[in-house]
Amino acid sequence: MEINEQLKRIKEEIDTFFSVAADEVDKFRLKYLGKKGIITCMFDDIRTIAPEQRKEFGKNVNDLKTQALSKIEQLNQIIENNKVQSIDALDLSRPANSIALGSRHPIAKVTHNICQAFEKIGFTVAEGPEIEDDWHNFESLNFPPEHPARDMQDTFFISENPDIVLRTHTSSIQVRVMENNHPPIRVICPGRVFRNEAITARAHCIFHQIEGLYIDKNVSFADMKQTLLYFVKEMFGSHVSIRLRPSYFPFTEPSAEMDISCDICGGKGCNLCKYSGWVEILGCGMVDPNVLENMNINPDEYSGFAFGMGIERITQQIYKTKDIRLFFENDIRFLSQFKAI
Ligand code: PHE
C-alpha cells in the first residue's frame, strides 16, 4: 500500500475509535503505541524511507503519535469522570421510591366479611366450578326440564351442548357439597354467577353470590331466621332489622325473601330503597325434600335451610355505590377509594 494512504488509514482509525471501557482503551494503546505497536514500528521504518521523504514521513508519524496519545487521554478522562460521577450519585442514605399500594376490591372485601361472619358460627367455605352441567345448576335443585322456573334465570349455554351452562346461581355448589358430604352440613359458598341480562346501572350479566346451607336433624325455619338475623346484625350493625316475605324457589319449601331496614334513610324511605324503607338482600327457605332425596339424604331424618344473596347488592348498601357497573370496570379512581377498608 502506498505509504501516504497507509498513514491516512491509520489516522482515520484513531479518529473513529471510541470506547469508555478501560481494557479496550488499553488494547488500543498497545495496538498503536506498544513495543510492537503500529506507530512504534513506523518510527523504525524511517531508516528505509528515501532521504528526501524522510522529514515529512517522520513528521506525519509524530502527528499520529500525538493524535493517539491525546485520544487515549481523552477517553481515560471520560472513564475517570464516570467513576467519580457514579460514586457521587450513589447516596445510600436516600429513602427509596415508594411503591404504590393496591387496594382490595370492595366485592372481595365484602365476600370476606360475609364468610367471616358465618365462620364464627361454625360454617366452612366451599367453592365449585363456574361452568356447570344441567344437573347441578337445575335438575337436582328441583327444576324439571321445560319447567317455567328455569325462565327465572336467563341462562348462558355453552355452544351446541345445552347440558353445559355457566352457573346461574351458587346453589350448584350446595348440590356438590351434599353429593360429597353427609349431614350435619354447614357451608357457605361464595362465587361468580352468570345471567344473560342487559348491563345497566342496576343489573349485570356477571355478578357474585354467596350461598349458605345448613342440614342436620331438627333444623327449623326459626333456626334459619335466627341465623340470618345474627348475620345482618354482625354485618350491618345491631340497629338494622329484618323482614321475611313469602316467595318461591323450586329448591326450597317454604321459600322467602329477606329485606333489611334501609341503612341510608333508617327505614324512613329514600330513593335507594324506593321509598319503602326496606332493601331486599337475599332469598332463602327450607331445603325441599325432593332436593334432599336427589342427594340421597333422607328427608324424614334430616331437614335444613338454604339462602343465597347477591354480593353486589350488599356492597352497594354498605358503600352507597349507585351503579353496579363500577364494580367491573376496574377504574383505579374508583378502586383507590377503598384503600382504607
Ligand atoms: N339461588 C337463588 C337465586 O339465585 C337464591 C336462593 C338460594 C334462594 C338458596 C333460596 C335458597 O335467586
Side-chain angles (χ1 to χ4, degrees):
M1 197 192 301
E2 215 260 307
I3 196 91
N4 284 332
E5 218 171 279
Q6 203 182 344
L7 288 169
K8 205 173 128 203
R9 209 198 63 216
I10 296 170
K11 186 173 165 17
E12 252 173 41
E13 273 175 17
I14 297 173
D15 245 0
T16 52
F17 175 77
F18 183 83
S19 171
V20 286
D23 55 341
E24 288 299 315
V25 176
D26 207 48
K27 267 190 212 154
F28 171 85
R29 184 185 61 79
L30 286 172
K31 180 175 173 190
Y32 292 97
L33 302 171
K35 254 192 186 150
K36 294 203 172 102
I38 294 171
I39 296 173
T40 317
C41 292
M42 284 176 121
F43 279 114
D44 295 340
D45 289 347
I46 288 184
R47 284 175 286 117
T48 64
I49 303 283
E52 64 275 15
Q53 290 173 358
R54 231 174 248 171
K55 194 171 165 205
E56 200 196 336
F57 180 78
K59 180 182 177 301
N60 285 339
V61 176
N62 227 2
D63 285 350
L64 279 184
K65 185 181 173 181
T66 319
Q67 189 197 347
L69 283 173
S70 80
K71 182 74 163 205
I72 292 165
E73 198 190 314
Q74 180 199 344
L75 293 176
N76 280 336
Q77 193 63 51
I78 296 176
I79 292 170
E80 211 44 42
N81 285 348
N82 279 353
K83 270 193 211 154
V84 172
Q85 267 175 18
S86 54
I87 288 169
D88 273 357
L90 187 67
D91 176 0
L92 293 175
S93 65
R94 242 185 101 207
N97 291 338
S98 65
I99 298 167
L101 282 184
S103 53
R104 289 191 75 189
H105 195 287
I107 296 292
K109 179 77 181 164
V110 170
T111 305
H112 177 77
N113 289 353
I114 296 174
C115 288
Q116 231 174 16
F118 283 103
E119 277 168 340
K120 277 194 197 167
I121 52 169
F123 284 70
T124 51
V125 175
E127 290 187 359
E130 293 178 349
I131 301 173
E132 267 297 4
D133 50 39
D134 189 274
W135 168 256
H136 290 95
N137 197 80
F138 290 124
E139 185 126 15
S140 63
L141 287 162
N142 211 23
F143 288 84
E146 313 297 334
H147 192 280
R150 288 182 181 233
D151 293 343
M152 285 163 71
Q153 307 182 347
D154 291 315
T155 311
F156 282 119
F157 293 93
I158 301 277
S159 61
E160 316 282 283
N161 186 349
D163 189 43
I164 306 293
V165 301
L166 292 181
R167 69 178 174 206
T168 56
H169 52 183
T170 42
S171 302
S172 58
I173 309 177
Q174 53 148 306
V175 175
R176 288 182 177 274
V177 171
M178 283 189 276
E179 273 175 349
N180 297 311
N181 297 278
H182 294 293
I185 293 172
R186 244 179 303 177
V187 282
I188 189 98
C189 321
R192 208 157 52 142
V193 300
F194 308 84
R195 289 188 198 176
N196 192 1
E197 278 182 37
I199 299 173
T200 65
R202 290 181 53 85
H204 206 289
C205 58
I206 302 175
F207 56 101
H208 299 77
Q209 284 190 333
I210 287 200
E211 189 86 4
L213 176 70
Y214 182 20
I215 297 183
D216 203 347
K217 289 178 177 155
N218 304 318
V219 177
S220 69
F221 196 91
D223 292 329
M224 178 178 85
K225 200 173 153 188
Q226 205 55 38
T227 306
L228 295 175
L229 181 63
Y230 153 80
F231 160 68
V232 166
K233 303 228 176 254
E234 187 79 9
M235 198 67 196
F236 299 96
S238 54
H239 60 289
V240 177
S241 43
I242 64 169
R243 143 178 121 168
L244 288 168
R245 286 177 287 106
S247 184
Y248 171 75
F249 299 103
F251 37 92
T252 46
E253 183 60 35
S255 304
E257 271 167 322
M258 189 180 83
D259 301 337
I260 57 170
S261 54
C262 181
D263 208 11
I264 292 168
C265 59
K268 286 194 201 74
C270 66
N271 64 353
L272 231 118
C273 60
K274 289 189 245 133
Y275 298 96
S276 69
W278 296 94
V279 182
E280 183 209 317
I281 64 158
L282 57 79
C284 58
M286 301 306 291
V287 179
D288 193 293
N290 287 344
V291 175
L292 295 176
E293 259 165 19
N294 284 340
M295 297 295 115
N296 292 322
I297 296 172
N298 182 358
D300 296 328
E301 197 181 348
Y302 290 102
S303 58
F305 62 80
F307 55 89
M309 60 190 113
I311 302 175
E312 279 76 4
R313 182 74 64 86
I314 292 178
T315 309
Q316 281 182 295
Q317 183 68 15
I318 295 175
Y319 296 115
K320 332 267 185 258
T321 27
K322 292 224 174 74
D323 194 324
I324 193 175
R325 290 170 290 199
L326 287 167
F327 294 129
F328 300 94
E329 283 163 359
N330 282 335
D331 186 328
I332 211 96
R333 291 167 301 179
F334 173 70
L335 295 178
S336 60
Q337 296 178 54
F338 298 91
K339 273 215 169 112
I341 67 169

